[in-house]
Structure formats: C-alpha cells, structure tokens
Amino acid sequence: MGYCSGRCTLIFICGMQLSKTNVPQAKQSVNRDTVCVLERQIFDFLGYQWAPILANFVHIIIVILGLFGTIQYRPRYITGYAVWLVLWVTWNVFVICFYLEAGDLSKETDLILTFNISMHRSWWMENGPGCTVTSVTPAPDWAPEDHRYITVSGCFLEYQYIEVAHSSLQIVLALAGFIYACYVVKCITEEEDSFDFIGGFDSYGYQGPQKTSHLQLQPMYMQIPLDNN
C-alpha cells in the first residue's frame, strides 16, 4: 500500500514539474498560465535567456523519462531522474544567487544567462506586475543600435524576486521528487529481490520439467504359453 502511494506521489510530482497553473497578474483582467518549467521555458524564450532555456529543455526530457520509469517500473530511469534533480537544484541555487547578486555576481553587468551574445534581461523586467516602461531618447552612445534604452518604474514586485520565486519553487519540487524517487527505487529493488519476475519461481527453488534430447528404449519381454498337444 505504501509502495503504491509512493509511486502515485512521484507521478504527481513529475506532473507538477511539467504542469501549469493559473495565477492572476496585477492590473490585468485575464489570467496567465504561470508556474513550473513549461511556463518558465516560455518566458525565458521571450527574454532570450539561452542558458535557462537549455537547462529547462534538459529538465523537461529528464522528467518525462522519470515519469516513464515510474509508470513502467524501470528503476534505472528513476535513478537517472534522481541524479539529475541534484544538478537541477544546484542550477536553481545559482540562479537565485545570480539575481540576488550574491558574491561577485551582478545581474546588471554579467551576461551569463545569455551566453554573452546579447544584452537582454529577464522578460519580467519590463512585463512585471504594475511595471511602466518609458523609452529614453536620445539613447546614450554606449547603447547598441539594435537595443532600445528604457526606464522601468512602478513595479509591484521587482523582476529579480519573480525569478527567485520560480527557482525556489523548482527547488522545493526537486527535493520532494528526489526523496520519493529514492523511496520508489528502494521498493522496486526489494520487490525484485523477493520475487524474480523473469524466472518465475526459480528464487524459491522450483525446478520445472527437463526435456531429454533422445528417447531411451527399453526391451519388452512377452511370455508365450506352449500347447502340450
């Protein structure tokens, strides 16, 4: 019963890591699909954040494989999923440190998330709740020609805190997924040790009938009565 509950919980966590939830935005009359990795991938595409896009893509593939392994009783897939979750937590911790400017990191000058090929920032910088974008003209001399120079004001929540909230949610889901993945792998391994699905009853000492390569012929003797007449 506990094993079944563990599998169901892990399937639910994998679904949460891929699913989307409706969250209301300020100053808007409609809801947008946000939260979890699919939503994060969309907004990273809009913000040209190439490093998170690559990480999100790998995460989606690994979660699908982990979901397949959980449904099909494949402990190797679940183990791979658990190992990836450790790396996924590490990546999200780095993203949190980046946006909070921990250490020598700077979200304003470092272009790590775009692989230093563009000056784009998070999509939430201009489109956060309550943000008002104002174009500045003329643009300063150092501004690239294909970029516009703007100021953002009036945001109810700064974009770095939105990114931190996304990463924090992913860390919570990853930790829960890691715990249940280890539990499910343990249960599957114990069940395979107690009963061999491939060999049937071989683990209990049962030996099936053996086939012989040839037939052994035995001589037959018949007693014929003699007539004395």
Side-chain angles (χ1 to χ4, degrees):
M1 184 68 179
Y3 170 43
C4 180
S5 300
R7 286 183 64 247
C8 295
T9 304
L10 183 57
I11 292 173
F12 173 76
I13 293 174
C14 291
M16 282 292 296
Q17 288 177 315
L18 294 175
S19 65
K20 298 182 290 183
T21 307
N22 289 331
V23 176
Q25 292 280 340
K27 293 184 66 176
Q28 294 182 1
S29 60
V30 296
N31 292 338
R32 291 184 180 177
D33 288 331
T34 57
V35 183
C36 300
V37 69
L38 293 180
E39 170 269 336
R40 193 177 185 183
Q41 182 76 315
I42 293 174
F43 290 113
D44 285 337
F45 263 113
L46 295 175
Y48 301 98
Q49 304 295 293
W50 303 116
I53 288 172
L54 180 61
N56 294 336
F57 178 77
V58 176
H59 182 63
I60 292 172
I61 298 300
I62 298 299
V63 171
I64 293 175
L65 292 177
L67 186 61
F68 172 80
T70 305
I71 297 175
Q72 297 294 325
Y73 298 89
R74 303 292 179 88
R76 291 185 179 180
Y77 287 86
I78 305 176
T79 302
Y81 166 74
V83 172
W84 165 253
L85 289 181
V86 177
L87 302 177
W88 182 244
V89 169
T90 304
W91 164 253
N92 282 278
V93 170
F94 167 76
V95 172
I96 292 176
C97 293
F98 176 80
Y99 281 107
L100 295 181
E101 297 185 327
D104 296 332
L105 296 173
S106 174
K107 66 180 182 297
E108 302 298 337
T109 58
D110 293 336
L111 301 176
I112 300 174
L113 300 185
T114 60
F115 292 139
N116 292 322
I117 60 178
S118 70
M119 297 183 64
H120 290 90
R121 296 295 187 268
S122 170
W123 183 86
W124 296 103
M125 182 177 182
E126 302 179 25
N127 301 276
C131 292
T132 301
V133 179
T134 304
S135 298
V136 176
T137 54
D141 297 335
W142 53 265
E145 296 181 357
D146 58 342
H147 287 66
R148 58 176 182 153
Y149 191 66
I150 62 173
T151 59
V152 181
S153 60
C155 295
F156 298 151
L157 186 63
E158 297 293 336
Y159 73 95
Q160 63 267 26
Y161 299 117
I162 298 178
E163 295 288 356
V164 169
H166 280 129
S167 296
S168 300
L169 175 61
Q170 290 298 323
I171 290 175
V172 172
L173 292 175
L175 292 177
F178 179 82
I179 294 173
Y180 276 97
C182 295
Y183 172 72
V184 171
V185 170
K186 175 178 176 294
C187 292
I188 293 178
T189 303
E190 291 179 351
E191 189 169 343
E192 287 181 347
D193 292 339
S194 61
F195 183 81
D196 187 5
F197 288 96
I198 299 177
F201 293 94
D202 289 349
S203 59
Y204 293 92
Y206 174 78
Q207 298 293 334
Q210 298 180 354
K211 296 182 179 180
T212 57
S213 58
H214 60 277
L215 296 176
Q216 296 182 356
L217 300 178
Q218 299 292 338
M220 297 181 62
Y221 298 94
M222 297 180 63
Q223 184 176 2
I224 300 177
L226 296 178
D227 188 3
N228 294 329
N229 297 327

